Amino acid sequence: MKFEGSICLVLLLVYASITLGTKDPEQGQSPYVFEDKHFITGMQTPHGRIRFLEKFTDRSKLLRGIENYRISTLEADPQTFTVPSHWDSDAVFFVTNGWGTISLIKHGRRESFNLRQGDIVRVEAGTTTYLINRDNKQKFVFAKILRPVNNPGQFEPFYVGGGDNPDSVYSALSNEILEAAFNTRRERLERVFGKQKQGVIIKASEEQIRALAPEEEEEEEEEEEGSREKLINIYKQHPIYSNQYGQLYHVDSSQYKKLQDLDVSVSLANITQGGMTTLYYNSKSTMIAIVVGGEGYFEMARPDLSRSSQELEDRPTGPSYKKVSSRLRRATVIVAPAGYPFILAASRNQNLQVLAFKVNAYKNQRVPLIGRRSVVSHLERQAKELAFGISAREVDEVFGKQQEEFFFKGPQQQHQGFSVE
Amino acid sequence: MKFEGSICLVLLLVYASITLGTKDPEQGQSPYVFEDKHFITGMQTPHGRIRFLEKFTDRSKLLRGIENYRISTLEADPQTFTVPSHWDSDAVFFVTNGWGTISLIKHGRRESFNLRQGDIVRVEAGTTTYLINRDNKQKFVFAKILRPVNNPGQFEPFYVGGGDNPDSVYSALSNEILEAAFNTRRERLERVFGKQKQGVIIKASEEQIRALAPEEEEEEEEEEEGSREKLINIYKQHPIYSNQYGQLYHVDSSQYKKLQDLDVSVSLANITQGGMTTLYYNSKSTMIAIVVGGEGYFEMARPDLSRSSQELEDRPTGPSYKKVSSRLRRATVIVAPAGYPFILAASRNQNLQVLAFKVNAYKNQRVPLIGRRSVVSHLERQAKELAFGISAREVDEVFGKQQEEFFFKGPQQQHQGFSVE
Amino acid sequence: MKFEGSICLVLLLVYASITLGTKDPEQGQSPYVFEDKHFITGMQTPHGRIRFLEKFTDRSKLLRGIENYRISTLEADPQTFTVPSHWDSDAVFFVTNGWGTISLIKHGRRESFNLRQGDIVRVEAGTTTYLINRDNKQKFVFAKILRPVNNPGQFEPFYVGGGDNPDSVYSALSNEILEAAFNTRRERLERVFGKQKQGVIIKASEEQIRALAPEEEEEEEEEEEGSREKLINIYKQHPIYSNQYGQLYHVDSSQYKKLQDLDVSVSLANITQGGMTTLYYNSKSTMIAIVVGGEGYFEMARPDLSRSSQELEDRPTGPSYKKVSSRLRRATVIVAPAGYPFILAASRNQNLQVLAFKVNAYKNQRVPLIGRRSVVSHLERQAKELAFGISAREVDEVFGKQQEEFFFKGPQQQHQGFSVE
């Protein structure tokens, strides 16, 4: 009897957890902020590691719109080789630190070229890729956005070389097939596929690194048309906004055509210590941003879903909004859906660098809500009166004080309840 | 003991409801017809209201293909102002009644122009939009199709103005951030963001309305190329079909290019009292139609899913079909999936106006099954014999009686079991 | 009491089955291989049948990426007529055996033309289609890929002719509507829609078949531009790879433009008895292949999901791979996701013909892992050393033995554990 009761209670709990799992509770962790601890270590060796951010929809159903995008980072120690692999996902690589060489094998040929900080490379699904950190002091660090081609949000790497660690794809096949395909006896095959046991990021000798330099390393020409097609450097773009409080760099398919079919753009905000962005939203894109340097603070207005249009009850008084906020540290990831207004602020001691991948990038606009060209500045006098219920003069006095357009002086020390130092 | 039993029974019921919730029972409400009561009032003030049709997939999994589309209506009283907002959805607005002004702020500038009945305007996601009903007698009424950009089928409005009602997006942010961004002290900000308490559709004075007229109100020029880009009027198109029983107007991306990336087209069927359409289907599009005037009747043939290709059991005898039928009144919404044949009939006392948004519009064809150019009229004599199992002459006699092409004389009074009066 | 306990046990089992149903167990049936028994008979008459492969996502969540594609076959006996129908799915038809006539009614006109083995025809959703097997000995057999337009993975046929079997779509509507629309009395309608009772594939007389020949049967001209637009024959393409062990034929949107918006390509591998393909993967496409002749064997390397990137636990040692293998017989269907390396081998007694539909076809590459132009052949000497942990000479010795590029001599008799005879 007791047993039967226990089963029922277990079932009740199980049922409760299923039910709760399908809702996004208002309380609890925001679906829009991820910390370092939300990264999974995919592969680790003594000389580097590859990490993935958890799947967005594992966090919240509110992120269903970006279900098919994943964020990954790669860190390779000085003088290392990252062994060749292909992935079942399209990707955009961004070099956040260091420099080295990337090799891409596709369309039956190999292309090798040097990468440095700020470089963006589109890597198509199925391209065999390997990396060399050619520096003898700095790490070679990448942030990537992946768009899996087989299953939404799921991707897998495939290693050709290797043996025990990483496993080689050849090792999964039967001996009869391998012997016939290679036209070689089993014993010889075992010699080739059993030796690599050091993992996916391994130490290389100076001679190997020197020999693996790109054949035509004419760095001066990287700005030429030919090189442009392979990669683009975000810091070589004219900043969209620039003043004493920060600079915004941006690359989309109009500068780098290979981003077009992914419909992804890349931005980098460099916010000076003590500075902040305006309050703004992206008109169409969801921004997935990762802090690549410094410290700061993030605030966003999001709809209060307890009164949202998704509820079946009528809500005659209209929507209300709640605050999402977070400290920003290296590797913090924030998601700002289209239409959601947000700010980014640097701490008072360090500049803040935020790398942003935007999905659904085509025809996206940044729309500022404060500052010289805010939405309110475009309203007619009477529209201001009607929208705010006060005189247009009063609206203008408040909206006219901020003369900058995008980057502003941030909050000052004396204010409480807000700590970005 | 009793208690344990009760838990089990509760669980059993809960389980049963989960299970049923995941199936589309044959019996019960059709997933293809929505009544006035299936609209949710999103926002209501003494001077107007905004309503949304429930989410299609909340009704039935059979509507998964249109999950990411929503239908909304807006009604604004004479001489009112609908406060500025942006939405996280692309939209197509159709003016069903009245006239007034729309203002759109995007790409850093404002565009204001007059709208009248029959006008179609594509509004991109993130565009700040506001409306003025400039008439002093008529309501200004819109039907809209929305395609959310963040989450399938979910959207939210964002109000910049306002304060208590509607809430303003500014109000969600912390004081420290707002003070720094506005470069203004908290007290002044509170004065600006606390005054509007009347909701999203408010009364405007005659002076305000006069002042909010579009700057270049050259109505004559609206048919020019420049104006065409902003909007299009469906009644100015040459009707596709027109006879004494009805007219069909149609706008797609070949007339109004802004519809192209949404892949939506707009039609308006004006069916004379006592008239009906042919039995027809859309080859590729799902039609989401809303009755904007008059009364009538709808019938559609749908596959009998209890014998459908989705079942794992074999069905050697092939598919069968069932009837979906409904009276049509103002605000009735009907969904006709691609390939499903249907008719629309006006009542005998009133003309019927049906506005149809078609999704997946590219290369769609209307295919008539009865009338002068029906599918059967294209069969060879022998194909008719084989398809119907009778002589081709008999087929022709039945299919040849209806000489009209698209709009027909409807059912007559004497028939029973059918009431469209 | 006993009763209550039983309910609980039932619930527990039910719950367990729900839970298991949502996971893809490592053990058990591979999601990548389907046998003849996984086809559902949709329609059967004494003279033919239409079958559908079960929905991919009913098999496994791992096939979510191809949820909206279905595989179907049609077999019509000599001298038969397949009655007119339209489907709510786009389709590509491939003639695997026999010859006959297809008629397509769309855009208000009929197009009839002859088809023979190897012909590919794109049939748009909503097109009324019928077939005549004009041969008096051979079956007329099709393999099709369908992409439903209404609901992911669900489709329905709609029959216009017919009566009791197949049901006609007209029969679902009310008499009042039909009488008005046809402008004809009920009694006459009943005579037309009640006679066909023989099902969807029926015997035709020799006179009927002769009369249903295409009007301009100028077979010589089928290779002309005009005919090309209607259909293409895969055997008339120059093979991409061809040697004594096999030939690979391929058609994509660059040869047959109508495949473009479906983003599907079609290949046919004809592998000589005792031959095999290289180990290769598709860079972007998922291949859905069906054996249309002969016997053979399939092997594929797939990620070991128990250590996959989808798991929340860290996996410092990187991925590993498992073998998927299957005998191939007529009607075996295999799915090879993008990036997954696989081989196809013919038995030693029969040639093997495998028809492959590839979805997500745009810019796909076949990437060989063994043979003259394998990925490894493109690595620099040092990259080979680092990737395999042995000398580049040893790598070259193993990878250099196979001098063919795509089709190889297959496994020999003496090997054990592998039987393809």
Side-chain angles (χ1 to χ4, degrees):
Chain A
M1 220 90 74
K2 262 195 149 171
F3 177 64
E4 291 159 14
S6 309
I7 294 178
C8 284
L9 282 173
V10 166
L11 282 172
L12 192 63
L13 292 171
V14 161
Y15 170 69
S17 69
I18 299 172
T19 313
L20 290 175
T22 63
K23 284 193 184 169
D24 290 289
E26 276 296 296
Q27 69 275 29
Q29 203 174 31
S30 156
Y32 305 109
V33 180
F34 298 79
E35 302 289 345
D36 190 78
K37 68 184 174 198
H38 299 113
F39 279 86
I40 302 151
T41 299
M43 283 155 273
Q44 179 141 24
T45 76
H47 303 292
R49 60 178 182 168
I50 298 175
R51 302 203 306 162
F52 316 115
L53 189 64
E54 62 174 287
K55 217 172 144 178
F56 290 117
T57 45
D58 285 348
R59 173 69 73 91
S60 168
K61 279 175 71 180
L62 292 174
L63 301 181
R64 269 208 296 164
I66 52 171
E67 179 180 16
N68 199 22
Y69 293 89
R70 295 291 295 270
I71 296 294
S72 173
T73 59
L74 179 146
E75 295 170 33
D77 282 349
Q79 293 190 303
T80 54
F81 179 77
T82 302
V83 303
S85 63
H86 71 266
W87 298 58
D88 59 348
S89 65
D90 282 299
V92 178
F93 287 27
F94 181 88
V95 181
T96 60
N97 285 93
W99 70 282
T101 299
I102 190 169
S103 294
L104 306 174
I105 301 175
K106 58 180 175 178
H107 308 299
R109 63 193 199 86
R110 174 172 48 83
E111 223 175 36
S112 297
F113 44 95
N114 278 334
L115 295 180
R116 71 187 82 172
Q117 203 175 329
D119 276 341
I120 298 166
V121 186
R122 159 76 196 275
V123 178
E124 289 189 52
T127 303
T128 298
T129 306
Y130 51 102
L131 302 168
I132 303 115
N133 183 349
R134 297 175 57 203
D135 198 80
N136 51 20
K137 291 212 184 105
Q138 286 186 86
K139 286 195 176 196
F140 196 18
V141 186
F142 287 80
K144 309 175 189 176
I145 187 166
L146 306 174
R147 192 180 67 177
V149 295
N150 284 320
N151 275 316
Q154 292 179 250
F155 59 90
E156 295 293 337
F158 294 83
Y159 289 91
V160 167
D164 273 16
N165 176 13
D167 219 10
S168 161
V169 293
Y170 297 108
S171 63
L173 300 183
S174 62
N175 285 322
E176 288 79 4
I177 289 295
L178 290 178
E179 287 184 306
F182 277 108
N183 192 21
T184 301
R185 289 182 61 80
R186 183 177 322 201
E187 295 72 31
R188 288 194 79 154
L189 294 175
E190 280 165 8
R191 276 211 299 279
V192 170
F193 294 110
K195 288 292 162 33
Q196 232 284 44
K197 297 179 181 184
Q198 298 175 270
V200 301
I201 303 177
I202 57 181
K203 210 66 184 168
S205 70
E206 279 203 35
E207 298 73 41
Q208 286 170 324
I209 283 172
R210 213 177 304 121
L212 287 168
E215 282 165 27
E216 300 174 47
E217 197 180 342
E218 303 166 23
E219 302 225 359
E220 300 311 306
E221 282 188 49
E222 259 178 47
E223 282 150 277
E224 296 299 314
E225 207 53 43
S227 309
R228 269 270 170 78
E229 285 167 18
K230 292 189 239 166
L231 66 99
I232 194 167
N233 191 288
I234 202 164
Y235 294 116
K236 288 188 180 160
Q237 309 308 305
H238 192 75
I240 301 210
Y241 298 106
S242 177
N243 66 10
Q244 65 189 109
Y245 305 113
Q247 296 82 41
L248 184 71
Y249 300 92
H250 177 78
V251 166
D252 62 28
S253 61
S254 64
Q255 288 98 32
Y256 183 46
K257 212 174 166 200
K258 288 188 171 180
L259 295 176
Q260 193 167 334
D261 65 336
L262 272 187
D263 203 10
V264 162
S265 71
V266 183
S267 302
L268 193 111
N270 182 26
I271 309 175
T272 315
Q273 54 186 69
M276 68 184 287
T277 67
T278 182
L279 181 69
Y280 74 106
Y281 62 89
N282 287 295
S283 65
K284 302 203 143 190
S285 300
T286 294
M287 179 185 87
I288 306 169
I290 179 166
V291 177
V292 295
E295 295 202 340
Y297 185 74
F298 166 70
E299 264 192 28
M300 181 168 74
R302 68 165 179 79
D304 180 355
L305 294 186
S306 63
R307 294 168 66 191
S308 96
S309 64
Q310 272 49 258
E311 300 301 311
L312 288 178
E313 297 144 48
D314 295 347
R315 50 162 183 186
T317 58
S320 70
Y321 310 96
K322 285 194 169 175
K323 180 176 70 172
V324 174
S325 65
S326 173
R327 289 189 62 136
L328 301 178
R329 294 185 188 83
R330 189 181 282 265
T332 304
V333 172
I334 55 177
V335 175
Y340 287 43
F342 64 94
I343 63 100
L344 298 168
S347 79
R348 286 198 299 278
N349 309 318
Q350 288 185 54
N351 291 356
L352 175 70
Q353 284 92 38
V354 180
L355 171 70
F357 297 110
K358 281 184 207 145
V359 307
N360 200 14
Y362 180 61
K363 285 172 91 180
N364 180 63
Q365 300 282 320
R366 277 174 216 88
V367 183
L369 295 178
I370 300 176
R372 190 148 53 87
R373 298 196 188 185
S374 77
V375 161
V376 172
S377 72
H378 296 293
L379 298 180
E380 303 99 327
R381 195 167 61 79
Q382 295 78 12
K384 286 173 187 164
E385 285 170 11
L386 286 159
F388 288 96
I390 54 173
S391 74
R393 185 185 48 77
E394 285 178 281
V395 175
D396 289 341
E397 274 174 18
V398 162
F399 277 86
K401 293 274 277 185
Q402 180 53 268
Q403 282 301 305
E404 297 289 347
E405 188 170 345
F406 194 83
F407 288 106
F408 303 157
K409 186 175 182 184
Q412 294 309 297
Q413 206 155 350
Q414 62 271 29
H415 295 144
Q416 308 164 352
F418 175 71
S419 48
V420 297
E421 57 272 276
Chain B
M1 221 91 73
K2 260 194 148 170
F3 178 64
E4 291 159 13
S6 309
I7 294 180
C8 284
L9 282 174
V10 166
L11 283 172
L12 191 63
L13 292 171
V14 160
Y15 169 69
S17 69
I18 298 174
T19 312
L20 289 174
T22 63
K23 284 192 184 171
D24 290 289
E26 276 297 296
Q27 69 276 26
Q29 203 174 31
S30 155
Y32 305 110
V33 180
F34 298 79
E35 301 290 344
D36 189 77
K37 68 183 174 199
H38 298 112
F39 279 86
I40 302 152
T41 299
M43 283 154 275
Q44 179 142 24
T45 76
H47 303 292
R49 61 179 182 167
I50 298 175
R51 302 204 305 162
F52 316 114
L53 189 64
E54 62 175 288
K55 215 171 143 177
F56 290 118
T57 45
D58 285 348
R59 173 68 74 92
S60 168
K61 278 174 72 179
L62 292 175
L63 300 180
R64 268 207 298 165
I66 53 170
E67 178 181 18
N68 199 22
Y69 294 88
R70 295 290 295 271
I71 296 294
S72 173
T73 60
L74 179 146
E75 296 170 33
D77 283 350
Q79 293 191 303
T80 54
F81 179 79
T82 302
V83 303
S85 64
H86 71 266
W87 298 57
D88 59 347
S89 65
D90 282 299
V92 178
F93 287 28
F94 180 87
V95 181
T96 60
N97 285 94
W99 70 282
T101 299
I102 189 169
S103 294
L104 306 174
I105 301 176
K106 59 178 175 178
H107 308 299
R109 63 195 199 85
R110 175 171 47 83
E111 223 174 37
S112 298
F113 44 95
N114 279 334
L115 295 180
R116 72 188 79 170
Q117 205 175 327
D119 276 341
I120 298 166
V121 187
R122 158 77 196 275
V123 178
E124 289 188 51
T127 303
T128 298
T129 307
Y130 51 102
L131 302 168
I132 302 115
N133 182 349
R134 296 175 57 200
D135 198 80
N136 51 21
K137 292 215 184 97
Q138 287 185 86
K139 286 195 176 197
F140 196 18
V141 186
F142 288 80
K144 309 175 190 178
I145 187 167
L146 306 174
R147 191 179 67 177
V149 294
N150 284 319
N151 276 315
Q154 291 180 250
F155 60 89
E156 295 293 337
F158 293 83
Y159 289 92
V160 166
D164 273 16
N165 175 14
D167 219 9
S168 161
V169 292
Y170 298 108
S171 64
L173 300 183
S174 62
N175 285 322
E176 288 79 5
I177 290 295
L178 290 178
E179 287 184 306
F182 277 108
N183 191 22
T184 299
R185 290 181 62 81
R186 183 178 320 201
E187 297 72 29
R188 289 192 79 156
L189 295 174
E190 280 166 7
R191 276 212 299 279
V192 170
F193 294 110
K195 288 292 162 31
Q196 233 282 47
K197 298 179 182 181
Q198 299 174 271
V200 301
I201 303 176
I202 57 181
K203 211 65 185 170
S205 70
E206 280 205 33
E207 299 74 40
Q208 287 170 324
I209 284 172
R210 213 176 306 121
L212 288 168
E215 281 164 27
E216 300 173 49
E217 198 181 343
E218 302 166 25
E219 303 225 359
E220 299 313 305
E221 283 188 49
E222 260 179 45
E223 281 150 279
E224 298 298 317
E225 207 52 42
S227 309
R228 269 271 170 77
E229 286 167 16
K230 291 190 241 168
L231 67 99
I232 193 166
N233 191 287
I234 202 164
Y235 294 116
K236 289 188 180 161
Q237 310 307 306
H238 193 74
I240 300 210
Y241 298 107
S242 176
N243 67 10
Q244 64 188 110
Y245 305 113
Q247 297 82 42
L248 183 71
Y249 300 93
H250 177 78
V251 166
D252 62 27
S253 61
S254 64
Q255 288 97 32
Y256 183 47
K257 213 176 165 198
K258 288 189 171 180
L259 295 176
Q260 192 167 337
D261 65 336
L262 272 186
D263 202 11
V264 162
S265 70
V266 184
S267 301
L268 194 111
N270 182 28
I271 309 174
T272 314
Q273 54 184 71
M276 68 183 286
T277 67
T278 183
L279 181 69
Y280 74 107
Y281 64 88
N282 288 295
S283 65
K284 303 202 141 189
S285 300
T286 294
M287 180 185 85
I288 306 168
I290 178 165
V291 177
V292 296
E295 295 201 342
Y297 185 74
F298 166 71
E299 266 192 26
M300 182 167 74
R302 67 166 178 78
D304 180 356
L305 294 186
S306 63
R307 294 169 66 192
S308 96
S309 64
Q310 272 49 259
E311 299 302 310
L312 289 178
E313 298 144 48
D314 295 348
R315 50 162 185 187
T317 59
S320 70
Y321 309 97
K322 285 195 166 173
K323 180 175 71 171
V324 174
S325 66
S326 172
R327 289 189 61 136
L328 300 178
R329 295 185 187 83
R330 189 181 283 264
T332 304
V333 172
I334 55 177
V335 175
Y340 287 43
F342 65 94
I343 64 98
L344 298 168
S347 81
R348 287 199 300 279
N349 309 316
Q350 289 184 55
N351 291 357
L352 174 70
Q353 285 92 38
V354 179
L355 171 70
F357 296 110
K358 282 183 205 144
V359 308
N360 199 13
Y362 180 63
K363 285 171 91 180
N364 181 62
Q365 301 281 320
R366 278 174 216 87
V367 183
L369 295 178
I370 301 176
R372 191 150 51 87
R373 298 196 188 184
S374 76
V375 162
V376 172
S377 72
H378 295 293
L379 298 180
E380 303 98 328
R381 195 168 61 79
Q382 296 77 12
K384 286 174 187 163
E385 287 170 10
L386 287 160
F388 289 95
I390 55 174
S391 75
R393 185 186 49 76
E394 284 177 283
V395 174
D396 288 341
E397 273 175 20
V398 161
F399 277 85
K401 293 274 276 185
Q402 181 54 266
Q403 282 301 305
E404 296 291 345
E405 187 171 346
F406 193 83
F407 289 107
F408 303 158
K409 187 175 183 184
Q412 294 308 297
Q413 207 155 348
Q414 61 271 26
H415 294 146
Q416 307 164 353
F418 175 71
S419 48
V420 298
E421 55 273 278
Chain C
M1 222 92 73
K2 261 195 148 170
F3 178 65
E4 291 160 14
S6 308
I7 294 180
C8 283
L9 283 172
V10 165
L11 282 173
L12 192 64
L13 292 171
V14 160
Y15 169 70
S17 69
I18 298 172
T19 313
L20 290 175
T22 63
K23 284 192 187 172
D24 291 288
E26 276 295 296
Q27 68 275 30
Q29 202 174 32
S30 157
Y32 305 110
V33 180
F34 298 79
E35 302 289 347
D36 190 77
K37 67 184 175 199
H38 299 113
F39 279 86
I40 302 151
T41 300
M43 282 156 274
Q44 178 141 25
T45 76
H47 303 291
R49 61 178 180 167
I50 298 175
R51 302 203 305 162
F52 316 115
L53 188 63
E54 62 175 285
K55 216 172 143 178
F56 291 117
T57 45
D58 286 347
R59 172 68 73 92
S60 168
K61 279 174 69 180
L62 292 174
L63 301 180
R64 269 207 298 164
I66 54 171
E67 178 180 17
N68 199 23
Y69 294 87
R70 296 290 296 269
I71 295 295
S72 174
T73 59
L74 180 146
E75 295 171 32
D77 282 351
Q79 292 191 305
T80 53
F81 179 78
T82 303
V83 303
S85 63
H86 70 266
W87 297 58
D88 58 348
S89 65
D90 282 299
V92 178
F93 287 28
F94 180 88
V95 182
T96 60
N97 284 94
W99 71 282
T101 300
I102 189 169
S103 294
L104 306 174
I105 301 176
K106 59 179 176 179
H107 309 298
R109 62 192 200 86
R110 175 170 47 83
E111 223 175 38
S112 298
F113 44 94
N114 279 335
L115 295 180
R116 73 188 79 171
Q117 203 175 330
D119 275 341
I120 298 166
V121 186
R122 158 77 195 274
V123 179
E124 288 188 51
T127 303
T128 298
T129 307
Y130 52 102
L131 302 168
I132 303 115
N133 183 349
R134 297 175 57 200
D135 198 81
N136 51 20
K137 292 213 183 101
Q138 285 186 86
K139 287 196 176 195
F140 196 17
V141 186
F142 287 81
K144 309 175 189 177
I145 186 167
L146 306 174
R147 191 180 67 177
V149 295
N150 285 319
N151 276 315
Q154 292 179 249
F155 60 89
E156 296 292 337
F158 293 83
Y159 290 92
V160 166
D164 274 15
N165 174 15
D167 220 11
S168 161
V169 292
Y170 297 109
S171 63
L173 299 183
S174 62
N175 285 322
E176 289 79 4
I177 289 294
L178 290 178
E179 287 184 306
F182 277 108
N183 191 21
T184 300
R185 289 182 60 81
R186 184 178 322 202
E187 295 72 30
R188 289 193 80 155
L189 294 175
E190 281 165 7
R191 277 211 300 280
V192 171
F193 294 109
K195 289 293 161 32
Q196 233 284 44
K197 299 180 182 182
Q198 299 175 271
V200 302
I201 303 177
I202 59 182
K203 212 65 185 169
S205 70
E206 280 204 34
E207 298 74 41
Q208 286 169 325
I209 283 171
R210 212 177 305 119
L212 287 169
E215 283 165 25
E216 300 173 49
E217 198 180 342
E218 303 167 24
E219 303 225 359
E220 300 312 305
E221 283 189 48
E222 259 177 47
E223 281 150 278
E224 296 299 316
E225 205 54 41
S227 309
R228 270 269 170 79
E229 284 167 17
K230 293 190 240 169
L231 66 98
I232 194 166
N233 191 288
I234 202 164
Y235 295 115
K236 290 189 179 159
Q237 310 308 307
H238 192 75
I240 301 210
Y241 299 106
S242 178
N243 66 12
Q244 65 189 109
Y245 305 113
Q247 297 81 41
L248 183 71
Y249 300 93
H250 178 77
V251 167
D252 61 28
S253 61
S254 65
Q255 287 99 33
Y256 183 46
K257 213 178 164 197
K258 288 189 172 182
L259 296 176
Q260 191 167 337
D261 65 337
L262 272 186
D263 203 12
V264 163
S265 71
V266 184
S267 303
L268 193 110
N270 182 27
I271 308 174
T272 314
Q273 55 186 66
M276 68 183 288
T277 67
T278 183
L279 181 70
Y280 74 108
Y281 64 89
N282 288 295
S283 64
K284 304 202 140 191
S285 300
T286 293
M287 179 185 87
I288 306 169
I290 178 165
V291 177
V292 296
E295 294 200 344
Y297 185 72
F298 166 70
E299 265 192 26
M300 181 168 73
R302 68 164 178 78
D304 180 355
L305 294 187
S306 63
R307 293 168 66 192
S308 96
S309 64
Q310 273 49 257
E311 299 302 310
L312 289 178
E313 298 145 48
D314 295 347
R315 51 162 184 187
T317 59
S320 70
Y321 309 97
K322 285 194 167 174
K323 179 176 71 172
V324 175
S325 66
S326 173
R327 287 190 63 135
L328 300 178
R329 296 185 186 83
R330 190 180 281 266
T332 304
V333 173
I334 55 176
V335 175
Y340 288 43
F342 64 95
I343 64 100
L344 298 168
S347 80
R348 286 198 300 278
N349 310 317
Q350 289 184 54
N351 291 357
L352 174 70
Q353 285 92 38
V354 180
L355 170 69
F357 297 110
K358 281 183 206 146
V359 308
N360 199 14
Y362 180 62
K363 286 170 90 179
N364 181 61
Q365 301 282 320
R366 278 176 216 86
V367 183
L369 295 178
I370 301 176
R372 189 150 51 87
R373 299 197 188 185
S374 76
V375 162
V376 172
S377 73
H378 295 292
L379 298 180
E380 303 98 325
R381 194 168 62 77
Q382 295 78 11
K384 285 173 187 164
E385 286 170 10
L386 286 160
F388 289 94
I390 54 173
S391 74
R393 185 185 49 75
E394 284 178 282
V395 175
D396 289 341
E397 273 175 20
V398 162
F399 277 86
K401 293 273 276 186
Q402 181 54 266
Q403 282 302 304
E404 296 291 345
E405 186 171 345
F406 193 85
F407 289 106
F408 303 157
K409 186 176 184 184
Q412 294 309 296
Q413 206 155 350
Q414 61 270 28
H415 295 144
Q416 309 163 353
F418 175 72
S419 47
V420 298
E421 57 272 276

